[in-house]
Amino acid sequence: MNSIDETRFFDDACQALATESPSPGDSVPFLPPPDRIFIGGGGRDLPKLLAACMERMPPGGIMAASAVTLESFHALSAWSPDRRTGLCSLNIAHEQSIAGTSHHLKQQNTIYLFTFQKEITS
């Protein structure tokens, strides 16, 4: 995704998460408050997207976000550690032939999955 697409995606995502109904003719639909959110990526605006999602969720809402790059891993590690409820890594591998008669699992990218929860207010 180039920076123009990334910026448009971020703007569209934030508009869809807006707390007010859109104006007539807006191209992005209004969404009700989500109680669960998954973010697969996010680019350089990931912290802003996380904050917008967390703000829109009701108390107790859960957000999961994945990281495959070092940049997104560090952004997710640093973002709101008091709200982080978990971190796991998923190792991806696929079968590959060895010497024509045997097989092994060749490692691919590791995916890190962070979970966050919006605090419950009393």
Side-chain angles (χ1 to χ4, degrees):
M1 190 181 299
N2 65 39
S3 63
I4 294 171
D5 292 339
E6 202 172 277
T7 300
R8 180 161 182 236
F9 166 79
F10 176 74
D11 291 344
D12 287 350
C14 287
Q15 185 179 356
L17 288 165
T19 56
E20 298 177 12
S21 296
S23 302
D26 277 352
S27 62
V28 179
F30 173 73
L31 298 174
D35 62 355
R36 302 289 188 267
I37 294 175
F38 175 78
I39 299 172
R44 68 172 181 258
D45 289 323
L46 181 57
K48 291 179 186 174
L49 183 58
L50 293 165
C53 289
M54 188 62 71
E55 181 180 325
R56 187 73 168 104
M57 281 194 307
I62 296 173
M63 180 169 55
S66 65
V68 295
T69 65
L70 289 174
E71 292 78 10
S72 59
F73 179 87
H74 290 296
L76 288 166
S77 293
W79 190 80
S80 199
D82 55 319
R83 291 180 172 159
R84 191 168 70 219
T85 58
L87 166 61
C88 68
S89 67
L90 307 163
N91 294 308
I92 307 300
H94 72 275
E95 181 181 30
Q96 184 174 17
S97 296
I98 299 176
T101 59
S102 298
H103 298 84
H104 77 116
L105 291 173
K106 183 175 180 179
Q107 292 294 335
Q108 299 293 296
N109 294 335
T110 298
I111 300 171
Y112 298 94
L113 185 63
F114 291 77
T115 55
F116 302 90
Q117 185 171 22
K118 186 167 184 176
E119 58 278 351
I120 299 173
T121 57
S122 17

